[in-house]
Amino acid sequence: MRIAALALVFLALACSREQAPPAPSGVDVVEAPASGDIAKWVRDQQLRAAREKRTLVVYASASWCEPCRYFQDAVKRRELDKDFPGLRLLKFDFDRDEGRLADAGYVTDMIPLFVVPEPSGRGGDRRLQGAIKGAGAVDYLRSRLRDLLQN
């Protein structure tokens, strides 16, 4: 009887404790929804990223953007995981989302666009835009993204 009571107490305590999320590993990409208020969605994603101890960056790309394709391929091959172990990219399609991005403060003349959002979910001043073409695009973006995240 005592053992059963102790087991119940242990289970109650174990169930009441919040478990810490696992340590983030690698670059995580979340595709943005095709409609809705971007700032509100980004704000919701900021709260989620904070719980998961991830760094959040808004990323706008397009299928026709050569540096974007190189970067995305590197992410898929997990080549950037070591450099950015807890990075979460909120990926927007610039062709589809350009107007909504501008309304939320993510205005740009060049892509790829990487922006550290403000606490409100709107675009902030910490950003990088554009890249070089060719195979060097990944190293170029890796270096600039590292600088962006350290500021």
Side-chain angles (χ1 to χ4, degrees), residues 17 19-20 30 35 47 53 55 59 64 79 88 99 104 116 130 134:
R17 290 185 188 162
Q19 292 188 0
V30 177
S35 63
L47 296 172
K53 297 187 179 5
T55 301
Y59 166 56
W64 48 264
E79 292 174 9
R88 172 165 291 149
V116 176

Side-chain angles (χ1 to χ4, degrees), residues 76-94:
K76 286 178 189 169
R77 289 190 302 267
R78 314 300 300 175
E79 292 174 9
L80 302 172
D81 288 357
K82 183 176 149 192
D83 294 299
F84 308 106
L87 179 62
R88 172 165 291 149
L89 297 172
L90 301 182
K91 183 181 174 200
F92 288 87
D93 180 315
F94 188 74

Side-chain angles (χ1 to χ4, degrees), residues 7-83:
L8 286 174
V9 169
F10 176 75
L11 285 174
L13 289 173
C15 291
S16 67
R17 290 185 188 162
E18 284 188 36
Q19 292 188 0
S25 63
V27 178
D28 180 31
V29 179
V30 177
E31 296 283 336
S35 63
D37 182 322
I38 286 178
K40 181 183 179 320
W41 183 75
V42 170
R43 180 66 187 133
D44 292 344
Q45 293 299 312
Q46 286 173 309
L47 296 172
R48 177 180 166 210
R51 284 192 307 272
E52 297 172 5
K53 297 187 179 5
R54 286 194 165 271
T55 301
L56 192 79
V57 173
V58 170
Y59 166 56
S61 69
S63 61
W64 48 264
C65 170
E66 183 181 322
C68 300
R69 288 194 310 267
Y70 275 106
F71 181 79
Q72 289 164 185
D73 288 345
V75 169
K76 286 178 189 169
R77 289 190 302 267
R78 314 300 300 175
E79 292 174 9
L80 302 172
D81 288 357
K82 183 176 149 192
D83 294 299

Side-chain angles (χ1 to χ4, degrees), residues 5 8 12 83 88 94 96 103 122 132 137-138 141 145 151:
L8 286 174
D83 294 299
R88 172 165 291 149
F94 188 74
R96 178 191 75 194
D103 290 345
R122 294 186 53 79
I132 63 172
V138 174
L141 288 169
L145 187 56
N151 291 332

Side-chain angles (χ1 to χ4, degrees), residues 1-9:
M1 189 73 140
R2 245 187 228 178
I3 294 174
L6 286 174
L8 286 174
V9 169

